[in-house]
Amino acid sequence: CINGEYVCSAPFAQLEICDLKDNNCNGIIDDVPAGCCPGEIKVIESCPTSDIVFVLDATSSMDDMIWAVKEGITEVVEKIVEGEYPSRLGLVVFRDSDPWDVVYPAIVNYGFANDPEQFKEWVGAVETYAGGDAKENQLPAVVEATQFVWGPGHIRHVVLVTDAPFHENDASSP
């Protein structure tokens, strides 16, 4: 990243190797702080290479599972943070549609987090609400996730977490 802009055109950013190339795609050739010897490998922070948007069902049918789901998402994020390829993390939360409910909208788009801790705070604050016999329709939430501004060249992931199947042309999704 140079001045907050993504400049990496390789499929994945790499470690910086002293070989007169810009291995980590940050626009600087052999940018190790104290110089380098030929062939020496230095770890330099690299640009995110994938975008992951979690689409989370927060209807009341998830009451018994929501804490385990939130814990599981947090564990996945920890593994991503520990991993070799950094990722941007986004969140969309959906509930049963109720056009009269202004407190708990049917879809909440958090966007991409500035950092993993912010994302974990968002997930930790999710509460279940609304629900009934008519199952929620996650399709609008998935569509919302596809509208994110994805990083150029990033691998795009949308992860749907729900306990209900998709319903087409029924009371909840005409």
Side-chain angles (χ1 to χ4, degrees):
C1 303
I2 297 177
N3 297 327
E5 298 292 320
Y6 298 99
V7 296
C8 193
S9 61
F12 293 103
Q14 301 175 356
L15 301 176
E16 188 65 59
I17 302 171
C18 190
D19 60 357
L20 301 177
K21 296 179 184 174
D22 180 19
N23 306 102
N24 66 351
C25 301
N26 69 352
I28 303 170
I29 296 173
D30 294 340
D31 62 332
V32 292
C36 64
C37 299
E40 184 178 12
I41 298 173
K42 299 282 186 173
V43 177
I44 306 293
E45 188 174 328
S46 57
C47 297
T49 56
S50 66
D51 292 338
I52 305 169
V53 178
F54 288 86
V55 179
L56 179 57
D57 180 347
T59 58
S60 60
S61 63
M62 294 284 289
D63 279 345
D64 294 339
M65 299 169 274
I66 197 67
W67 293 109
V69 167
K70 293 186 328 183
E71 184 176 298
I73 290 173
T74 301
E75 288 177 18
V76 167
V77 169
E78 290 296 328
K79 295 294 182 189
I80 290 168
V81 170
E82 293 171 10
E84 185 177 340
Y85 303 114
S87 300
R88 294 192 311 161
L89 302 165
L91 180 64
V92 174
V93 174
F94 68 95
R95 297 177 175 89
D96 288 343
S97 298
D98 182 350
W100 299 280
D101 192 339
V102 294
V103 177
Y104 291 100
I107 296 176
V108 179
N109 180 342
Y110 288 84
F112 283 114
N114 293 324
D115 60 59
E117 293 305 314
Q118 180 184 38
F119 178 83
K120 290 190 288 188
E121 285 178 25
W122 291 345
V123 170
V126 170
E127 295 179 9
T128 58
Y129 177 79
D133 292 335
K135 296 298 182 193
E136 64 278 353
N137 182 351
Q138 61 268 41
L139 182 59
V142 171
V143 170
E144 183 76 20
T146 67
Q147 304 304 307
F148 275 55
V149 178
W150 304 93
H154 289 198
I155 298 171
R156 301 172 181 184
H157 307 273
V158 175
V159 180
L160 173 64
V161 182
T162 184
D163 67 341
F166 172 71
H167 292 264
E168 186 176 1
N169 290 329
D170 63 9
S172 62
S173 59

